[in-house]
Amino acid sequence: MSGGAGVMGPLCPTSPVVERVRLFVAPVDRTSGNALVFDPAMQGRFALSAPPPGWFDMGVVADVKRDAVTTFAEVWSGAPALLKTRSRAKVSADVSCTFAGWSKLAMALSSGSQQMNLLRSSGLAGANDSGGAAASAVAVLAGSSATVLQLPAGSAVAVGDAVVVDEDYEGATGYVGSGIAGAYVRSASAIGNDADYVRRVSFNVGRVVGVIAGASAGVPMAVTLAGPLLAGVPSLTMKLSVLMGFVDRLGGSFAGEWSGLFVMDGVQGDRVLLHYPRLQTAPGVAEVTDQLAVGLQRWRLRAQFHALPVLDANDGEAVLCFRSYLPAPGRLL
Amino acid sequence: MSVVDGFQNAKDTFYVTLRDRLAALNADRTVVVRGATRPAVAVAENEISLGTGTDPVNAFVLRWTGFAVDTSDALPLLKAQCEISFATEGSAEMAGMDRGRTLSAMGEEMRGMLHPATVPKQSFAVSPAVTLATQVFWDAPVFGPVKETADRISRMVTVEVFAWKEAA
Amino acid sequence: MTGAGMSGAGFAGGEAARRSAASLLGSLTGDAVVLRIATPPVGDSDAEELGLGSPEFQDVALTPALVRVSSTNKTTVLIAASAVEAALGVDGAEAVELALKSACFVQVSDDMLQVAQVERRAVFGRAYLYRLLLKTPETR
C-alpha cells in the first residue's frame, strides 16, 4: 500500500475475456494487388459502429479458427550431428469463421469463387443454372445519389425490391465490378458478350425502401435505397437491374481477395486485433448447422481463407498476419 | 409510426394466431369469459386472476415460461417456452364418459392450431395492428402425459416459440 | 305417485326451503357483503384478451349475508339463494355459481377477500342457500 492517497499501482496482466468476435473486411484492389492499410497505432481503437473508411462490418462471427504452419530449413553438422542453424523455409496460414447471417458479402466470402446476382429474367427462353437472360436494365438518370436513384418514369421497380446498379459490359477484359471486383473476364466471348454480366457479378447492390413517382407524366421517379451504394454516386452510364437473390458455385476459376480484421474487445477494456491484409477465399461452399429446437435446424455460412503475404514497409519482411494487442488501462506490460 | 419490438409482440401474435385458427377449425369450441363468448383460447397472464387455481374446461390456456436470448445471430433471437394446458370433464349428457374422446379431439385441434409453425409477427400495441418484418416460429409440440383428477382429465403441450427482435 | 305429482311436491318443497332460508337469514343478520365483478369485454376489441385493456368493475351488494369467521380464520358467508339471484339478475344454479366464482373480490367489512369455493344447498333441485368460502388474496 502506497503512503500517498491510497492509489493502487498497475495490475498484473490478465488474459482478454472476450464475449464475441467481430469481423471487418475490405476488398483488395485486384488491379494493383494492394491491400488497404490498417495502422493499429492510429486506428486500433476505432469504434465498432464506425470502422475506418473502406472496411465493411460483417458483424459477429463464431468459431474463429486460425491455423499457421511454419516449416524450417535446418543445417546439421558435426559428429554426432547437432543442429547448427535453422531458418524459416515456409510459412502458411489459414483462418475460418462462421457468419451470423446470410448476406451478399457473407456469401461472397464463403463461396470461394464468383458470387453472382440472380437478375430478374426476361422469360424461360433464356433459362440458365446461374440465372438466365436478364430483363432489360433501367438507366440511372442525372441527379442520382448513392441513396436516391432517379429512374425513368414507370420503371418496374417497387418497394422491397433488391437491385444492382452497375455498368453495361462493353467488351473489356480484366476485373469487373464497381467498388469491388466481382469477377475476372478473360474474354468477351467467354461470357457471351453479355451486356448484363457486370451487374451479374457486381457488389453494388441495395434494397428499395421507397418509390416516389414523378409529379407528372414523363418526370423521373425517385427510388430510395435502405443504405448508400458501396460504389458511391452512380455514374450516368450505370443501369439498374432488379435481382431475385444470389447464387454461388462449387467450382469456377475466380478467387476473391479480401483484407480481414478480427476484433476482440476484452471485458477489461483491452483489445486484440488480428489483421490479415490478404485473404484469398478458399474453394468450396460450406454451411454449418445447429439444432435450434425439436425439428428446427439453423443453417449458417462457414468461410475459409488462405492468407497471402504483404511486405511490411517498416522492414521489408513478408508477413501473413499482424496481431495487435492494445492493453487495458493500468496494466503492467 | 415506429413500433418498439420485443417478445411481447411474439406472444400476442402467437395467441391471436391460435385463437383464430381454433375458430376456423372448430367454431363450437368456445369459452365464456365475463359473460362474453369467444374462441376457447386464453393467456393466463392476460386474464383476471381469480385465485381459484383452476383453468376453465374445454379451453386452451397458455402460460409463458423460460425466456432466453440468443445473441449469436445478426438480430437477437428471443425464445420462450409456452405451456398450453387443456382439460375436460366430458359432457353432462354423457355423464362425463366422453371425456377421453373430448380430450383426444382437443389434442387434434391443438395440432391443427400449431400448423403451419410460422406466422408474420404483428404488434397489437397500436390499432390497427401493424405487421412487422420477421416471422414468429415455433418447434414441434411436445405432448405431456394425460393427468386425471376426480372427474377431470387434462394434458399439457409444450412449444418453444422464437422471434427475432427487430431494431426500432 | 306420478311423476307430475312428484315434481309438484318437489317444487313446493324447494320454494318453501328458499323462503325459509331468506326469512331465517333476514332475522339473524342485516349484514351485507359486496361482490366486485368485472364487466364483460368490449365488442370486437382484442385489447383485454392481450392484457392491453382492463374491464370496468361493478359492485353488487348481497344482503342479508351471514358472515362467520372460524377459529382458524376461515371466512364463510351464507346468503339466501333468492337474494343472490335477485342481486345478480341471473337464474339457474350454473349461472349463479359462475357469477359468484367470477367475482374478483368479495368485500367483507373492510377486508377484500377472494372466493375459494362456492357451495350450493338445494332441495329437490332448487337452490335455497349459497355458502361462499373466502380466502385472503396471496400477497407479494
Side-chain angles (χ1 to χ4, degrees):
Chain A
M1 185 110 176
S2 75
V7 175
M8 290 188 68
L11 298 174
C12 292
T14 55
S15 295
V17 174
V18 174
E19 194 178 354
R20 49 181 65 106
V21 180
R22 194 97 163 241
L23 173 63
F24 299 85
V25 297
V28 169
D29 185 333
R30 304 304 298 272
T31 306
S32 65
N34 292 333
L36 194 63
V37 171
F38 176 78
D39 185 328
M42 283 196 298
Q43 300 171 305
R45 284 284 185 187
F46 71 91
L48 297 182
S49 57
W55 292 91
F56 297 96
D57 185 2
M58 298 305 300
V60 173
V61 291
D63 293 328
V64 178
K65 287 188 171 49
R66 305 202 308 143
D67 292 306
V69 175
T70 303
T71 57
F72 289 85
E74 297 172 344
V75 175
W76 296 75
S77 70
L82 295 171
L83 181 63
K84 191 170 177 188
T85 185
R86 66 204 296 246
S87 58
R88 285 188 176 83
K90 183 171 135 181
V91 181
S92 69
D94 292 339
V95 65
S96 59
C97 63
T98 299
F99 291 112
W102 289 56
S103 65
K104 167 79 177 174
L105 271 181
M107 285 188 74
L109 289 163
S110 68
S111 71
S113 185
Q114 291 101 323
Q115 209 279 326
M116 301 166 77
N117 303 314
L118 290 167
L119 303 182
R120 184 162 64 190
S121 63
S122 54
L124 277 178
N128 188 50
D129 294 334
S130 60
S136 298
V138 174
V140 173
L141 304 177
S144 296
S145 69
T147 317
V148 181
L149 306 173
Q150 302 295 328
L151 303 180
S155 297
V157 177
V159 172
D161 281 348
V163 297
V164 57
V165 179
D166 218 314
E167 310 279 352
D168 275 349
Y169 175 71
E170 292 180 338
T173 57
Y175 292 103
V176 294
S178 297
I180 299 176
Y184 184 88
V185 177
R186 290 191 295 273
S187 68
S189 58
I191 62 166
N193 265 303
D194 179 11
D196 295 302
Y197 185 76
V198 179
R199 283 183 291 279
R200 282 189 200 283
V201 298
S202 173
F203 282 84
N204 211 28
V205 299
R207 174 77 73 179
V208 176
V209 295
V211 174
I212 300 176
S216 55
V219 174
M221 57 194 266
V223 169
T224 305
L225 302 178
L229 292 168
L230 65 86
V233 177
S235 71
L236 293 182
T237 51
M238 288 190 178
K239 291 181 182 171
L240 176 146
S241 292
V242 175
L243 63 98
M244 313 308 291
F246 310 111
V247 61
D248 51 38
R249 304 170 297 191
L250 196 58
S253 57
F254 179 78
E257 247 186 67
W258 303 81
S259 301
L261 182 64
F262 294 88
V263 182
M264 282 75 67
D265 276 340
V267 296
Q268 304 292 342
D270 40 3
R271 174 175 277 191
V272 178
L273 298 156
L274 300 173
H275 174 211
Y276 290 84
R278 290 176 67 202
L279 288 173
Q280 187 181 66
T281 54
V285 290
E287 306 85 25
V288 290
T289 59
D290 64 288
Q291 194 79 17
L292 200 59
V294 175
L296 291 175
Q297 266 188 338
R298 179 167 48 187
W299 282 55
R300 287 179 154 155
L301 287 169
R302 182 89 185 146
Q304 298 169 69
F305 307 97
H306 297 308
L308 299 176
V310 293
L311 291 181
D312 188 340
N314 277 339
D315 54 13
E317 295 275 20
V319 175
L320 298 176
C321 172
F322 297 87
R323 182 175 70 182
S324 303
Y325 176 63
L326 308 178
R331 293 292 190 276
L332 286 173
L333 304 175
Chain B
M1 179 193 303
S2 72
V3 168
V4 175
D5 189 32
F7 201 72
Q8 188 62 46
N9 288 330
K11 287 159 67 175
D12 292 344
T13 302
F14 186 69
Y15 158 69
V16 169
T17 299
L18 262 57
R19 180 199 68 187
D20 294 348
R21 287 181 181 178
L22 177 64
L25 280 169
N26 181 3
D28 294 330
R29 181 81 61 207
T30 57
V31 67
V32 176
V33 176
R34 286 179 278 116
T37 303
R38 66 182 211 223
V41 184
V43 181
E45 65 192 32
N46 293 347
E47 299 295 335
I48 293 173
S49 171
L50 300 177
T52 59
T54 307
D55 291 338
V57 290
N58 302 323
F60 300 91
V61 180
L62 278 59
R63 286 182 172 81
W64 293 97
T65 63
F67 181 73
V69 181
D70 178 351
T71 54
S72 65
D73 263 2
L75 290 177
L77 183 62
L78 315 179
K79 174 178 83 169
Q81 196 164 58
C82 186
E83 296 175 348
I84 308 171
S85 306
F86 52 100
T88 184
E89 293 171 350
S91 63
E93 301 82 47
M94 297 283 289
M97 293 170 71
D98 59 342
R99 57 190 184 280
R101 302 187 83 83
T102 304
L103 197 73
S104 293
M106 293 184 76
E108 284 310 304
E109 287 163 13
M110 183 85 267
R111 264 183 261 271
M113 287 152 66
L114 291 172
H115 182 77
T118 176
V119 68
K121 184 166 51 170
Q122 290 186 287
S123 171
F124 295 87
V126 295
S127 182
V130 168
T131 300
L132 302 177
T134 57
Q135 306 266 322
V136 180
F137 61 100
W138 48 93
D139 69 345
V142 176
F143 281 73
V146 175
K147 291 187 180 164
E148 188 161 3
T149 51
D151 51 358
R152 173 186 288 224
I153 56 173
S154 63
R155 200 159 199 182
M156 183 190 293
V157 169
T158 310
V159 174
E160 286 204 318
V161 181
F162 299 83
W164 281 282
K165 178 174 165 58
E166 300 172 29
Chain C
M1 291 178 78
T2 65
M6 276 280 288
S7 67
F11 183 80
E15 272 305 307
R18 286 166 63 86
R19 285 196 294 272
S20 296
S23 163
L24 181 63
L25 282 173
S27 66
L28 286 175
T29 175
D31 292 340
V33 297
V34 177
L35 290 185
R36 178 155 290 172
I37 301 176
T39 55
V42 175
D44 289 331
S45 169
D46 288 339
E48 290 184 27
E49 295 174 32
L50 297 173
L52 285 167
S54 64
E56 304 281 326
F57 291 90
Q58 63 183 86
D59 289 345
V60 178
L62 297 179
T63 186
L66 184 65
V67 180
R68 295 193 297 211
V69 182
S70 71
S71 56
T72 52
N73 257 343
K74 285 194 167 58
T75 304
T76 55
V77 178
L78 299 176
I79 317 162
S82 55
V84 174
E85 289 161 13
L88 293 176
V90 295
D91 197 5
E94 225 175 273
V96 170
E97 280 190 45
L98 197 64
L100 288 171
K101 283 179 181 170
S102 67
C104 298
F105 291 103
V106 179
Q107 186 175 1
V108 179
S109 301
D110 294 328
D111 297 326
M112 296 295 269
L113 305 174
Q114 285 181 323
V115 175
Q117 203 173 317
V118 174
E119 289 175 5
R120 180 172 64 96
R121 299 279 188 267
V123 165
F124 293 116
R126 285 279 281 168
Y128 64 88
L129 187 76
Y130 283 95
R131 178 172 175 269
L132 306 182
L133 177 63
L134 304 180
K135 66 174 188 178
T136 309
E138 287 177 23
T139 53
R140 273 177 281 174

